[in-house]
Each structure stands twice: as C-alpha cells, then as structure tokens.
C-alpha cells in the first residue's frame, strides 16, 4: 500500500503553555488494562496500519472497521500511535484501543468530514480498551492573545452591559478568561479566516445500545463526545483531558437523546463540561436551517453521577440550544472546580431555555464546587436562534418556552465570586416568561474574599434575545440570590458567606410570586 503522509494545515499552531492542561488527573481511578472481548478480532496492523510517524493509516483502519461491521467483531488498535482522518464505526463493532495505544488525528483539515471518529445509525457498538483518542486540537485554532493566568486577579469585575463579546473593558473577569481562549474564528478582527474544524472528536448519532468506557479523549478539536439522537447510551470510566483554552471543546454533550447514563467520568476542558441540549439542528454553519430533515427532538431520561468536572465555562449546563423539550435529567454526587487557573469557572449549574424548549423535572444534588464564580444560574429567554418549522410552530414558540420543576439540593460551594441568578423575562412587546417551581435547599456557599468592583445599574438588564450567561447581566444588587419574573421559588437552609467588604443584601426579588425562604 502506498504511504500517505500527514501535511499539517497550520503547522505552527500546536504550541502548549503552562496552565493549558490540568496536570493532576488521577488516571488510575478511571482507566485500567482490559481484556479483549470474545469473538472475531481485526487487528489494524493486518490491514496495513502503521505507527510510523507522519504516515496516515486512515484507509487501513477504516478497512478493518468495515470488515468488523459486516458480521460483527472487535477492531484492535495496539502497540503505538496511529494517525488518521475521519473514521466510521458500524453496528455490532467494538473499537478496542489498548492501553498504551492511541488513534491520533491528522493535522490536515482536508482529512475530515464532520467528525474525527463517528458512529452514525449504529447499534450495539462499543468503544473501550484503556487507550487514547488524541485529536490535536491546538492545531485547529489560532494562538491566544494572552497566556494562561496562573495567579488570581485579586478582584472580581463584570462588564456592566455586555456590548463587546470579549467582555471589554479589559479589566473585567470575563475579558481575563476570553483573552486566553484559542478561537477558530477571527474574534479580534485581525483579518483571519475562519478555520472549519471538524465539529466532533467522537460523534454518536442516531445510534442505539452504545457503550463507551475505559477510554481517554485528549486535546479535542471541538466538541469532545457528542451523543445525538441516540438512545440507551452508557458512558463510564472515561477521561476527557483537553487544552483548557481551546474554544468550544465541550466535554460530554447529550443532544436530543434518551436513556443516557453517565457515570464516573473526569472532564477537564475549556467549554461546558456536562451539557444537555435539544436543538432543531446540529452540524456546521453550512447546514441549511430550513432543512427539516435535520430536525432533532426532545432529550429525556438523562442520568449523570460521580463526575468530576474542571471547566473554564459551565460545569453542568442545560442549554443553550433548546428548541425541543428537555425533561427527566438527574445529576448527583459530582465535583465542579477550576483549581489552578483564573478567573474561576463561569458557573457550576446553569439551566437555560432560550429557543422555545420546555425544561422540567430536573434534579441536582450532592454537588461540591471549588472556585466556581456563580454556583447557580437559571434563565428563561426567547432568543429563538433556529427559527420555526411552520406557522403553527412559530405561534407555539415565539414567546419562549418554560423552565419549571427544578430541585437543587446539598450544594457546598467555596470560592464563589458573583450572585446566583434566577430570571425569566419581560419583553418590550408586553410578553413575558416566568420561571416556576424552583426549590433550592441545603446550600452552603462561601465567597472568595477578594476585592469587588461593582457597577450596579438602576435597572437590571432584561436578557430577552441575547446569549444567556451568568456574567453577561452585570452586577446584581444582592450578593447571594437575585430572583426575577418567577413563581413559587423556595430557598431552604441556604447560607452564603459574602466577602468581608460586602455592602449588599443577601437576597433580592423582583416580580416574584410565592417566594419563601426558611
């Protein structure tokens, strides 16, 4: 077989700085040696795959996957690093990457479609083995303007009104982390072309009975592990070890899927750690929004337990892509933190309906947070970024969806920096969206005792159509909770210790019915 060589599209982009990676991941607690499953084994070396540096093995490994897919079997990757472009896994196939082995992403953008490794419309598929999927994410983004911040700022300051997406003025906490992110887009208006990265490192779409365990995903090029329109998916004992400054590298995205169980995972990443979404569409910007064949569906019955998340952004998030309904989500016994770079993570728990979704029956409990700026952010808006499938659909969704029946309990947060927010909306056209039936109990939070630079506006901005984010609304007039446009909100046994320089009240409400605190 004629050798095909890897030719990096951006050979100078792969620089790593101190602070890009978290260096204390306890690999031995999640990853172990594993025996091959019984049945036929297709060793990729038998198909011509090579560990020779700079030589591509895409065709050889894909041939092994194709053969395994015909009658079922295990594709064995062992004994070194194999460089490839996009690979597709079929039904009744186990991709077994043995301990010490890895599948390495080509640095040539032309070698990919939407994903690095994908399973589309597959059943009874497994990825395991104790080895590594390495996506070389630094090579698909531009270098940052600032190097990682290894020392705390000494103060917290939010943009009073978010008119600049980077978070200017430059002395704000938001700007401090965004200036250190590596983007594929020209965020600084320097005339750079957009880099069309593959959207997924590992993409499971339209699949059923999927088992992903005992595997390491490293240095994602975009979203790390995306489960789309799939059901009966188990994710257990995995590590996602990303460059924490490569933009859009979500950890685990569960999109429009049902019966998904995530257990005992470690995620270290730049963007959202654990994320549940239900968009109208998914894919790159090139996908036609009006193509109803790309429509997805609701997300239901998602369980997450025993997860440790290090995230610059939101550790656990529902949203923002929220067109179809999301219900029956459980997250418990987790740790959310950002222990070694600054500023702190944007939020610990973020629940956001922005595009017409009805979000309900959500429970989070037994959560520890360390150096997370905002422990809880719950938002209802009507951004409606996807448009509508019909006139009837427009009437149902154009005034927003709903957020209701949320229970958050047993929260221990240390290093908090900004106010928890629960907010619906009131639009200039007279429409409103109200958050309903929220219970938060047994919560203890302690502020980072740094300085605060407050700029509290006379009226708190109504974030009706913009991207919802906890640090995009400016400073709140209270330090603990600010609750607005909501019904039946209960705070029970909530204790928040402010900074020593604090001058604000703990809790304030605006347009709230049936609010209680015990």
């Amino acid at each position: 077989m004629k050798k095909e060589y890897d030719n990096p599209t951006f050979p100078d982009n792969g620089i790593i700085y101190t602070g890009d990676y978290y260096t204390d991941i306890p690999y031995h607690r999640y990853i172990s040696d594993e025996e091959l499953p019984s049945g036929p084994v297709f060793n990729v070396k038998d198909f011509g795959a090579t560990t020779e540096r700079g030589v591509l093995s895409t065709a050889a490994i894909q041939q092994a996957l194709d053969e395994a897919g015909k009658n079922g079997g295990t594709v064995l990757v062992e004994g070194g690093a194999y460089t490839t472009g996009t690979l597709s896994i079929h039904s009744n196939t186990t991709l077994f990457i043995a301990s010490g082995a890895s599948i390495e992403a080509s640095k040539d953008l032309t070698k990919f479609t939407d994903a690095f490794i994908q399973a589309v419309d597959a059943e009874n598929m497994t990825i395991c083995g104790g080895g590594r999927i390495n996506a070389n994410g630094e090579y698909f983004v531009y270098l940052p303007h600032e190097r990682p911040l290894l020392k705390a700022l000494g103060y917290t300051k939010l943009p009073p009104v978010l008119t600049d997406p980077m978070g200017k003025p430059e002395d704000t906490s938001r700007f401090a982390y965004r200036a250190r992110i590596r983007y594929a887009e020209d965020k600084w208006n320097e005339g750079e072309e957009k880099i069309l990265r593959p959207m997924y490192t590992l993409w499971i779409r339209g699949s059923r009975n999927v088992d992903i365990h005992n595997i390491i995903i490293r240095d994602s090029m975009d979203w790390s592990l995306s489960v789309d329109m799939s059901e009966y998916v188990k994710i257990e004992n995995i590590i996602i070890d990303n460059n924490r400054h490569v933009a859009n590298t979500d950890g685990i995205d569960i999109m429009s899927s049902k019966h998904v169980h995530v257990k005992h995972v470690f995620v270290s990443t730049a963007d959202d750690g654990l994320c549940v979404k239900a968009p109208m569409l998914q894919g790159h910007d090139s996908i036609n929004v009006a193509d109803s064949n790309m429509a997805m569906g609701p997300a239901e019955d998602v369980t997450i337990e025993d997860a440790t998340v290090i995230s610059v952004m939101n550790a656990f998030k529902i949203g923002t892509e929220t067109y179809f309904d999301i219900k029956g989500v459980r997250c418990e016994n987790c740790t959310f933190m950002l222990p070694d770079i600054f500023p702190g993570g944007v939020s610990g728990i973020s629940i956001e309906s922005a595009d017409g979704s009805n979000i309900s029956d959500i429970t989070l409990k037994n959560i520890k947070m360390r150096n997370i700026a905002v422990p809880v952010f719950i938002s209802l808006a009507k951004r409606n970024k996807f448009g509508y499938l019909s006139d009837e659909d427009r009437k149902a969704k154009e005034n927003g969806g709903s957020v209701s029946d949320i229970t958050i309990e047993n929260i221990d947060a240390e290093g908090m920096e900004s106010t928890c927010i629960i907010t619906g909306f009131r639009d200039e056209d007279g429409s409103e969206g109200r958050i309903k039936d929220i219970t938060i109990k047994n919560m203890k939070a302690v502020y980072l005792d740094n300085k605060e630079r407050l700029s509290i506006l006379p009226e708190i901005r109504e974030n009706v159509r913009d991207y919802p984010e906890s640090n995009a609304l400016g400073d709140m007039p209270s330090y603990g909770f600010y609750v607005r446009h909501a019904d039946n909100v209960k705070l029970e046994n909530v204790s928040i210790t402010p900074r020593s320089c604090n001058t604000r009240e703990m809790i304030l409400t605006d347009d709230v019915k049936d609010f209680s605190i015990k």
Side-chain angles (χ1 to χ4, degrees):
M1 183 180 294
K2 184 179 179 180
K3 290 183 179 180
E4 183 181 7
Y5 291 92
D6 192 23
N7 296 303
T9 306
F10 303 99
D12 298 327
N13 282 13
I15 298 173
I16 297 173
Y17 300 125
T18 300
D20 280 338
Y21 286 88
Y22 181 64
T23 58
D24 292 328
I25 297 176
Y27 283 87
H28 64 283
R29 297 181 186 174
Y30 297 85
I31 305 300
S32 61
D33 292 336
E34 184 175 358
E35 293 185 1
L36 278 169
S38 60
V41 175
F42 302 85
N43 192 317
V44 298
K45 290 183 178 180
D46 295 338
F47 293 82
T50 179
T51 58
E52 184 178 347
R53 186 178 179 87
V55 177
L56 292 172
S57 293
T58 312
I61 296 179
Q62 188 57 60
Q63 186 179 356
L65 290 165
D66 292 345
E67 288 299 314
K70 291 178 181 178
N71 296 297
T74 297
V75 173
L76 174 60
V77 178
E78 65 175 351
Y82 300 81
T83 302
T84 81
T86 294
L87 297 173
S88 297
I89 309 172
H90 307 293
S91 296
N92 305 310
T93 298
T94 294
L95 174 59
F96 191 99
I97 308 172
S99 294
S102 64
I103 297 178
E104 304 276 329
S106 166
K107 300 180 183 72
D108 183 349
L109 278 172
T110 67
K111 303 304 180 183
F112 301 97
T113 53
D114 275 342
F116 176 23
I117 298 177
Q118 63 187 26
V120 178
D121 298 331
E123 293 190 11
N124 308 317
M125 189 274 294
T126 299
I127 300 174
C128 62
R132 179 174 297 190
I133 296 168
N134 185 11
N136 287 315
E138 291 97 2
Y139 285 90
F140 303 100
V141 286
Y142 295 110
L143 291 175
H145 268 222
E146 301 286 345
R147 294 196 180 194
L149 186 59
L150 307 178
K151 183 179 178 181
L153 288 171
Y155 66 88
T156 298
K157 179 181 178 180
L158 303 181
V161 178
L162 191 63
T163 57
D164 179 87
M166 302 308 291
K168 292 181 180 179
E170 295 187 4
D171 63 344
T172 67
S173 304
R174 181 181 171 93
F175 184 86
Y177 75 80
R178 293 186 74 86
R180 290 164 170 81
I181 298 296
R182 306 172 187 226
Y183 297 97
E185 299 83 17
D186 184 19
K187 294 290 187 179
W188 302 99
N189 299 316
E190 295 173 335
E192 302 279 8
E193 294 185 3
K194 181 177 180 179
I195 300 174
L196 292 177
R197 300 176 285 178
M199 189 167 182
Y200 314 101
T201 296
L202 177 55
W203 187 30
I204 311 299
R205 176 179 166 84
S207 297
R208 180 183 176 92
N209 295 332
V210 176
D211 181 358
I212 302 171
H213 70 269
N214 195 32
I215 204 77
I216 301 164
I217 299 173
R218 181 175 166 84
D219 196 9
S220 293
M221 55 184 68
D222 209 308
W223 290 5
S224 304
L225 170 52
S226 183
V227 178
D228 299 353
M229 296 182 69
S230 298
E231 59 181 7
Y232 299 104
V233 177
K234 183 175 73 172
I235 300 167
E236 186 172 3
N237 290 321
I238 75 163
I239 289 175
I240 296 176
D241 179 16
N242 286 338
N243 185 320
R244 293 177 295 177
H245 297 97
V246 174
N248 306 115
T249 51
D250 289 12
I252 300 174
D253 286 290
I254 300 165
M255 306 219 300
S256 298
S257 294
K258 301 178 181 180
H259 316 306
V260 179
H261 192 179
V262 179
K263 182 178 180 180
H264 197 230
V265 301
F266 194 108
V267 176
S268 178
T269 195
D271 214 324
D272 303 328
L274 307 166
C275 203
V276 182
K277 309 172 187 273
M280 181 193 291
L281 314 169
Q282 51 75 51
H284 284 296
D285 293 341
S286 60
I287 289 180
N288 184 359
V289 174
D291 183 359
S292 60
N293 291 327
M294 293 300 294
M296 297 180 76
E300 300 177 14
D301 186 22
V302 175
T303 300
I304 300 168
E305 56 181 324
D306 191 14
T308 296
V309 177
I310 295 174
S311 172
V312 175
M313 292 298 295
N314 309 282
F316 170 90
K317 183 177 180 180
I318 295 180
T320 60
E321 286 74 20
T322 44
Y323 184 83
F324 293 100
D325 293 349
I326 298 172
K327 64 180 181 180
V329 178
R330 306 283 181 270
C331 179
E332 60 184 42
N333 302 322
C334 296
T335 298
F336 303 152
M337 61 180 178
L338 190 60
D340 59 328
I341 55 175
F342 302 90
V346 170
S347 79
I349 297 168
S350 189
I351 300 172
E352 307 166 0
S353 175
D355 307 309
S357 174
N358 297 303
I359 298 174
S360 63
D361 187 18
I362 312 297
T363 300
L364 294 105
K365 62 181 181 179
N366 304 331
I367 310 293
K368 293 183 179 180
M369 302 184 195
R370 299 293 180 267
N371 299 337
I372 301 296
V374 177
V376 177
F377 177 65
I378 302 175
S379 170
L380 173 61
K382 57 173 187 177
R383 176 183 61 173
N384 298 340
K385 67 174 283 188
F386 297 107
Y388 310 97
L389 294 174
S390 64
D391 288 340
E392 183 179 354
D393 189 44
R394 174 186 291 274
K395 291 177 182 179
K397 292 183 179 292
E398 64 181 348
N399 283 323
S402 66
V403 177
S404 63
D405 190 15
I406 312 294
T407 300
I408 299 171
E409 60 181 311
N410 301 337
I411 306 298
D412 182 349
E414 182 180 320
M416 176 179 176
E417 293 191 60
S418 297
T419 310
C420 296
I421 300 171
I422 301 172
T423 179
F425 68 86
R426 179 174 293 158
D427 199 359
E428 294 178 350
D429 63 11
S431 64
E432 68 174 14
R434 304 186 68 82
I435 291 177
K436 299 180 180 180
D437 304 327
I438 309 295
T439 299
I440 299 174
K441 60 183 179 180
N442 300 331
M443 175 177 174
K444 179 182 179 181
V446 178
Y447 261 80
L448 180 68
D449 199 16
N450 59 351
K451 296 179 181 179
E452 55 186 19
R453 300 181 180 178
L454 301 177
S455 179
I456 302 171
L457 300 178
E459 293 186 9
I460 304 302
R461 176 170 169 258
E462 296 276 0
N463 194 50
V464 180
R465 293 180 178 83
D466 293 334
Y467 191 95
E469 198 161 277
S470 63
N471 61 16
L473 294 175
D475 291 305
M476 298 295 110
S478 52
Y479 71 83
F481 274 86
Y482 180 74
V483 185
R484 178 176 65 176
H485 309 317
D487 300 334
N488 190 27
V489 176
K490 299 177 181 178
L491 304 184
E492 301 179 11
N493 192 28
V494 172
S495 170
I496 299 178
T497 302
R499 297 180 177 94
S500 57
C501 64
N502 174 68
T503 58
R504 294 175 290 174
E505 297 181 54
M506 177 175 160
I507 297 170
L508 286 175
T509 65
D510 177 15
D511 183 29
V512 177
K513 300 175 182 177
D514 298 323
F515 177 82
S516 65
I517 180 168
K518 298 180 181 179

